[in-house]
Amino acid sequence: MYKLLLKQFIMVALIILAVLSIVFGAVLPWGKSQLYIDALTDMQSGKTYTTEQFESQMGNIFDFYSPIGQEEIVKFFGYDILGVISQADFPESASRFLTGYIEKYYFKNNVRHLILGGASYKYLWYRFRAEEDFKKSEEYFKKAFSIGPKLPPVLYDLFELYRLKGDDENMKKIGEEILKYWPEDGSVKSLIK
């Protein structure tokens, strides 16, 4: 009798575990991604948004609980924003709004998110020439550098930022760092000479 109860208990526990795995591993992430796709479809259809409507719709996505998917949704939306704000005719106020909006969702210890933050502010600085944008871009890239000092995107983004700024001293430091790992990079060699 005891063996039968134990077997039944184990089977019920396994069924519950399987159901929870499906819910947390598939259903919730699918729901989150579906909300994101629906929002992108609405935005690309030309639907006009107020900032409040935009924040509400995107907030529903970012606040939707799912143990899997938040990092990816933030990354994908960050790249979408980067694509929009890099357009030459996109308005400054909208560029700043979008950059500020996604910034609060970046994972502060995720190199991809830090690179996105740095790239977004680099575009703002390059287009609108506000010194605080340069500083924020540099801050993001330096934080990414502190986490991944040998990662090519981090090194090359910092190098490019300093090159665009005309900061030869810092460009040379980062260029020398790049050449430690990739000594055959002729473009970096020629730029730091």
Side-chain angles (χ1 to χ4, degrees):
M1 180 72 176
Y2 177 72
K3 271 185 151 180
L4 181 63
L5 284 174
L6 182 62
K7 283 182 183 180
Q8 288 175 340
F9 174 77
I10 290 173
M11 289 177 67
V12 168
L14 289 174
I15 290 170
I16 291 171
L17 186 61
V19 169
L20 289 175
S21 295
I22 291 169
V23 168
F24 289 105
V27 174
L28 291 175
W30 178 82
K32 188 176 193 78
S33 63
Q34 193 60 52
L35 285 173
Y36 180 65
I37 291 167
D38 292 345
L40 286 182
T41 302
D42 285 351
M43 286 180 226
Q44 292 171 352
S45 71
K47 181 178 176 182
T48 304
Y49 282 93
T50 65
T51 55
E52 292 81 17
Q53 290 170 322
F54 173 84
E55 288 176 327
S56 173
Q57 186 168 21
M58 293 311 295
N60 288 339
I61 297 164
F62 292 123
D63 297 338
F64 183 89
Y65 176 73
S66 175
I68 301 168
Q70 183 75 1
E71 186 267 338
E72 292 83 0
I73 294 287
V74 172
K75 178 182 69 178
F76 292 140
F77 191 59
Y79 279 116
D80 290 339
I81 288 174
L82 197 56
V84 169
I85 67 171
S86 64
Q87 297 173 15
D89 59 345
F90 198 72
E92 180 177 0
S93 61
S95 296
R96 291 192 181 286
F97 169 76
L98 290 172
T99 301
Y101 180 79
I102 191 64
E103 184 173 26
K104 63 187 168 198
Y105 293 105
Y106 287 143
F107 290 29
K108 303 304 180 199
N109 60 352
N110 183 303
V111 172
R112 286 186 183 129
H113 288 203
L114 294 169
I115 289 171
L116 273 170
S120 296
Y121 279 101
K122 180 177 80 172
Y123 276 111
L124 291 180
W125 167 73
Y126 192 71
R127 287 189 60 214
F128 307 115
R129 295 299 179 185
E131 190 62 25
E132 62 269 10
D133 293 331
F134 174 83
K135 289 177 182 172
K136 287 211 63 160
S137 179
E138 182 182 38
E139 182 183 309
Y140 270 109
F141 288 140
K142 281 184 171 182
K143 174 74 173 164
F145 180 75
S146 72
I147 295 170
K150 296 179 183 179
L151 294 174
V154 173
L155 290 167
Y156 281 94
D157 280 336
L158 255 176
F159 183 79
E160 178 68 5
L161 182 68
Y162 290 134
R163 185 188 72 74
L164 290 171
K165 176 79 170 169
D167 184 344
D168 293 338
E169 182 182 332
N170 281 318
M171 184 181 79
K172 186 173 181 177
K173 283 181 195 173
I174 298 298
E176 289 169 352
E177 192 72 21
I178 290 170
L179 292 174
K180 278 198 307 193
Y181 305 111
W182 302 280
E184 69 284 348
D185 190 329
S187 63
V188 171
K189 279 182 190 176
S190 65
L191 284 169
I192 63 172
K193 284 185 180 182

